[in-house]
Amino acid sequence: MRQFRKLKIAGSNPVRGFMAKQIWYGRCIFLSWYCDLGTCKFCFRSTIKHKIKHAKHAKRSLASLIVETLLCKNLGWRIEFLTGGYGIFPFKDIVKIAKIISQIYGEKIWINLGALKPEELEQLRPYVKGIVASIETVNQDLHNQVCPDKPIEPYSQMLKTAQGFQKSITIVIGLGEKPEHIEELHQFIKEHNLDRITFYALKPVKGTPYTKGPETNYYAEWIKKTREKFPKLQIIAGTTALRYQEVGTLIKAGANAFTKFPATKLFNSPQAKSIEKQIKPLGNFTSTLTKLPKINWQKQINDLNIEKDLKEQVKITLNNYLKKMKLAEQWR
Ligand code: SF4
């Protein structure tokens, strides 16, 4: 892995006066686990194992999407975006789901659903405030190698032509990029007038050519340099169950939030507690990974504007989630 020349993360980014930095956990809501494209070299969805495990038309139930939304709403998790594999849901179903999720969450949401056409964006507009393009890397040569069937151009066009939406991209660090490619990234951010960016550290997946993720300092340096160049840009940093110890470093480097941590599975776990401890001195954490608030879930579900049968399914699914999360609470 090539290194930036200067790797030290400067400063401790202390909380100053009354303007404590807001830090939050961002939760992706997945529509399905399968991807019709499935050819990006680093992605777990490109592996044979994943394709066997997740049938092509296996979709998540609406009940479980609603449960995730309720958890986001009540635990202070921001919906990072609604996403899912390519070509799984008919578009009218995606619009319906975006509508339900935004109504339950109480605000418009972000989506990351491929390079959408203008007429598709219009249908989503009442429920969507921001669009995300999964660029992965802006270096054209590397992109051609890593994502051979997902060209940058349609995404670039969508970002340039969509009016009235906030705009964001996702970038994976560790794909084989060089430190000097950061200039290309910054040019892309400027050219497309982005409001947000989500960085991920490559997660090496068995069955792909990748065996190692980036070093923390190298990953953080991309965030730090981007923060220096774009003081107002919202920066989200991906982490995992294994990389949780670097969350504080990523926030110090300039990230506003972190995502990809398996928060329900590891609710109130030692990893979740460690993250909260790391970021406590750095700002005001507006989400929780450790404390289930006392909520009348039954009432919340009964109050939802959805069909009765669906409410019953939501209750059962939520109960399963909460059982697991409460069990996790016993880890103390
Ligand atoms: S399009 Fe997205 S989900 Fe599909 S293989 Fe590529 S990175 Fe993975």
Side-chain angles (χ1 to χ4, degrees):
M1 174 80 58
R2 294 278 301 273
Q3 300 286 308
F4 283 100
R5 261 185 229 140
K6 191 177 144 217
L7 287 174
K8 200 163 179 290
I9 303 298
S12 61
N13 196 11
V15 180
R16 289 196 190 94
F18 301 106
M19 294 296 288
K21 177 175 171 177
Q22 295 246 311
I23 303 165
W24 64 92
Y25 166 65
R27 178 89 173 173
C28 298
I29 298 187
F30 283 86
L31 288 168
S32 70
W33 309 118
Y34 188 90
C35 171
D36 226 9
L37 194 58
T39 52
C40 301
K41 300 259 182 349
F42 66 95
C43 180
F44 66 97
R45 289 190 180 95
S46 70
T47 62
I48 300 289
K49 192 176 160 204
H50 183 82
K51 286 176 180 170
I52 291 169
K53 191 171 166 198
H54 298 280
K56 180 167 175 155
H57 296 294
K59 299 168 188 169
R60 283 191 69 190
S61 70
L62 186 52
S64 80
L65 297 170
I66 290 174
V67 167
E68 291 252 353
T69 308
L70 285 171
L71 289 173
C72 288
K73 186 176 171 180
N74 288 292
L75 276 69
W77 302 349
R78 291 198 195 178
I79 298 179
E80 166 78 353
F81 43 63
L82 178 66
T83 189
Y86 280 79
I88 307 304
F89 281 82
F91 193 71
K92 67 173 180 27
D93 290 4
I94 290 179
V95 175
K96 186 180 154 202
I97 291 167
K99 178 180 178 182
I100 292 174
I101 290 180
S102 71
Q103 283 176 345
I104 293 173
Y105 191 60
E107 56 183 83
K108 289 187 180 187
I109 57 172
W110 285 79
I111 51 164
N112 179 355
L113 295 167
L116 297 169
K117 299 184 195 105
E119 58 273 23
E120 292 174 327
L121 286 174
E122 281 317 306
Q123 289 180 59
L124 287 163
R125 189 182 291 280
Y127 322 113
V128 167
K129 65 178 174 187
I131 52 176
V132 183
S134 284
I135 298 285
E136 326 301 8
T137 177
V138 296
N139 180 263
Q140 195 64 65
D141 291 342
L142 183 61
H143 197 281
N144 290 346
Q145 288 168 37
V146 175
C147 304
D149 301 312
K150 192 170 73 157
I152 294 175
E153 190 47 33
Y155 284 109
S156 174
Q157 275 306 315
M158 174 178 79
L159 292 171
K160 279 180 181 162
T161 55
Q163 300 292 322
F165 291 99
Q166 293 179 63
K167 294 165 191 183
S168 179
I169 58 171
T170 62
I171 291 290
V172 181
I173 302 300
L175 290 173
E177 74 291 325
K178 296 183 176 128
E180 53 269 31
H181 291 162
I182 200 162
E183 300 303 330
E184 290 176 51
L185 174 63
H186 290 171
Q187 182 54 34
F188 191 98
I189 294 170
K190 211 169 144 192
E191 201 182 315
H192 295 82
N193 205 11
L194 299 185
D195 302 280
R196 196 173 95 169
I197 184 168
T198 301
F199 284 104
Y200 301 109
L202 173 85
K203 185 178 174 188
V205 176
K206 215 173 165 185
T208 70
Y210 293 98
T211 54
K212 199 170 177 286
E215 302 289 332
T216 296
N217 274 0
Y218 173 77
Y219 176 38
E221 195 72 5
W222 279 79
I223 292 171
K224 178 174 170 279
K225 286 185 184 300
T226 303
R227 168 57 69 225
E228 283 167 359
K229 189 94 177 179
F230 302 96
K232 292 188 181 153
L233 183 71
Q234 202 174 86
I235 301 180
I236 320 288
T239 189
T240 64
L242 292 176
R243 299 186 69 110
Y244 70 95
Q245 283 167 319
E246 69 189 15
V247 172
T249 303
L250 305 177
I251 300 293
K252 279 182 204 166
N256 301 93
F258 61 97
T259 187
K260 279 272 179 182
F261 180 72
T264 46
K265 205 167 144 198
L266 292 178
F267 195 77
N268 203 26
S269 61
Q271 295 93 320
K273 286 180 185 173
S274 164
I275 290 177
E276 289 196 355
K277 198 172 162 196
Q278 291 170 56
I279 57 183
K280 197 168 179 208
L282 305 175
N284 178 21
F285 186 43
T286 57
S287 313
T288 179
L289 301 176
T290 55
K291 287 182 187 63
L292 270 180
K294 288 197 177 13
I295 282 164
N296 187 339
W297 296 101
Q298 295 283 337
K299 182 172 182 321
Q300 280 210 14
I301 296 169
N302 287 336
D303 288 348
L304 295 178
N305 185 19
I306 55 174
E307 286 160 16
K308 200 165 166 253
D309 284 358
L310 183 54
K311 282 182 190 176
E312 293 313 309
Q313 289 166 31
V314 171
K315 284 178 190 170
I316 293 166
T317 310
L318 178 64
N319 211 27
N320 291 337
Y321 267 77
L322 291 179
K323 264 194 217 155
K324 283 185 199 149
M325 291 166 75
K326 279 184 186 155
L327 270 182
E329 276 203 312
Q330 313 300 317
W331 296 10
R332 284 180 282 214

